[in-house]
Amino acid sequence: MKVFIPSTGRIFLDLVFSGLDRIPVPGEEHFAKSLGVMAGGMYNAARALHRLGVNVELAADLGNDFISKIILDFWESDGLPKTFLRVHDKAAAAVTCSFSLAEDRAFLSYVDEKPVPLSDPGIIDDRGIQCVLLSGIPESDIFIPLLKKAKERGVMILMDSQFDHPPMTNDWMKTLIALTDYLFCNESESKAISGFDNAEEAGKALRDMGTTSVIKLGPGGALLTGSKDVKKLPAPSVHVVDTTGAGDCFVAGFCYAKLRGESDESALAHGIACGSLSCTGPGGGAAPYERELTDCVKEHFG
């Protein structure tokens, strides 16, 4: 196995309403131009990596509710391995309605109680892992022993923030970031974590915490701040249908390139291209396949 995705978050059943000019107000019925239904949340990154030909295994918890059963159907249809999938004899539903507007999107979500996630450090030794991808900042320090084992074994660690206001006051959060090789944030997340209002200053502050920061700037591309320099690349112009899952696909494209031995700048280009292409359809279901991604990188980044 190349990539292991621990259960830091949830797999949502995403209902993506796109083509909206505004969000309905109380007492009003409003119609979207299209509806996408797919597995989302943590599943976005796993599906995107799988489409890019990466051997990926996702740890997740589903239940006996009908939402979980629909997600399991998507899982089986996509052909992802189920080694670390646990199905519990209780409800474990997670569902999101995404209202996609031209400039951004809004979410309405519901989740059942989440089971205690699988976090055994022995997974690192048993599965031949080359990369651990945290698709979201964990809610506790439960994964730190696993990450320390990964660090000892020279396994690359990537973490996607996925929070507007991460709880950075905790000492274990500082440990978590220091263990991470690449930390991905959108612009508002980077500011919340670092305390700086400027993306470049935020990137430098995150670097000083012991990681290489990658700040996703939406239509503005992305900014990478490493130990030696700062790299910024623009995003290609695409027809945007929906941005749900674009950040997850960005991380998958970046991870794909690093596993191939590419430079940070090349990985940044692959991340931007993968995230951009995913916006051309509803939700993370529009994630590109390998040939689509490599063609986009060649066309826009040379």
Side-chain angles (χ1 to χ4, degrees):
M1 175 174 53
K2 287 188 175 182
V3 179
F4 174 60
I5 303 180
S7 183
T8 54
R10 305 291 293 263
I11 299 180
F12 287 84
L13 179 65
D14 281 353
L15 308 177
V16 182
F17 298 83
S18 56
L20 294 167
D21 57 352
R22 57 188 170 80
I23 296 175
V25 298
E28 175 188 55
E29 183 177 23
H30 202 54
F31 288 90
K33 291 183 179 178
S34 62
L35 170 67
V37 182
M38 66 214 68
M42 285 198 318
Y43 193 83
N44 286 329
R47 176 179 48 222
L49 284 166
H50 183 69
R51 288 186 178 182
L52 294 174
V54 175
N55 184 359
V56 57
E57 294 201 34
L58 170 64
D61 294 277
L62 298 176
N64 59 9
D65 54 275
F66 78 98
I67 296 293
S68 291
K69 291 175 182 178
I70 295 172
I71 290 171
L72 184 58
D73 286 342
F74 280 115
W75 192 308
E76 292 175 341
S77 176
D78 288 329
L80 269 67
K82 294 191 283 186
T83 309
F84 298 104
L85 171 63
R86 302 185 300 183
V87 179
H88 303 268
D89 189 23
K90 64 177 183 179
V95 61
T96 287
C97 292
S98 173
F99 305 100
S100 184
L101 304 172
E103 66 279 2
D104 207 341
R105 69 263 195 244
F107 301 107
L108 176 64
S109 301
Y110 170 83
V111 294
D112 285 323
E113 182 181 1
K114 180 184 175 182
V116 177
L118 181 66
S119 59
D120 180 10
I123 293 170
I124 299 299
D125 291 327
D126 296 342
R127 306 295 299 179
I129 295 172
Q130 292 178 265
C131 173
V132 174
L133 168 56
L134 302 179
S135 187
I137 292 179
E139 297 175 356
S140 72
D141 61 356
I142 190 171
F143 293 106
I144 285 181
L146 183 149
L147 297 179
K148 285 183 175 179
K149 175 65 73 70
K151 200 74 171 180
E152 291 170 4
R153 299 292 188 267
V155 173
M156 180 171 63
I157 301 172
L158 280 63
M159 181 166 68
D160 195 10
S161 175
Q162 300 278 7
F163 280 93
D164 290 330
H165 301 290
M168 287 307 304
T169 55
N170 297 324
D171 287 340
W172 65 264
M173 279 298 306
K174 298 174 184 177
T175 300
L176 185 64
I177 288 179
L179 287 169
T180 301
D181 294 299
Y182 296 92
L183 174 64
F184 299 83
C185 310
N186 62 32
E187 193 167 4
S188 64
E189 291 163 350
S190 72
K191 294 174 182 178
I193 295 173
S194 68
F196 286 88
D197 289 332
N198 176 278
E200 290 199 17
E201 292 300 320
K204 292 175 183 177
L206 295 175
R207 175 196 61 194
D208 293 344
M209 293 179 187
T211 186
T212 294
S213 70
V214 183
I215 301 177
K216 298 170 281 188
L217 302 173
L223 175 73
L224 182 146
T225 306
S227 59
K228 296 181 180 179
D229 54 9
V230 176
K231 298 176 172 46
K232 185 176 181 181
L233 293 176
S237 178
V238 298
H239 174 65
V240 176
V241 173
D242 176 48
T243 60
T244 305
D248 303 295
C249 292
F250 179 109
V251 176
F254 188 101
C255 180
Y256 161 84
K258 292 305 297 183
L259 288 171
R260 289 166 56 90
E262 301 280 350
S263 67
D264 282 356
E265 185 169 0
S266 176
L268 191 64
H270 281 79
I272 293 169
C274 195
S276 297
L277 289 172
S278 76
C279 294
T280 60
Y289 290 86
E290 187 174 21
R291 181 62 181 272
E292 296 173 276
L293 176 61
T294 54
D295 285 350
C296 182
V297 170
K298 289 178 182 177
E299 179 180 355
H300 294 282
F301 300 102

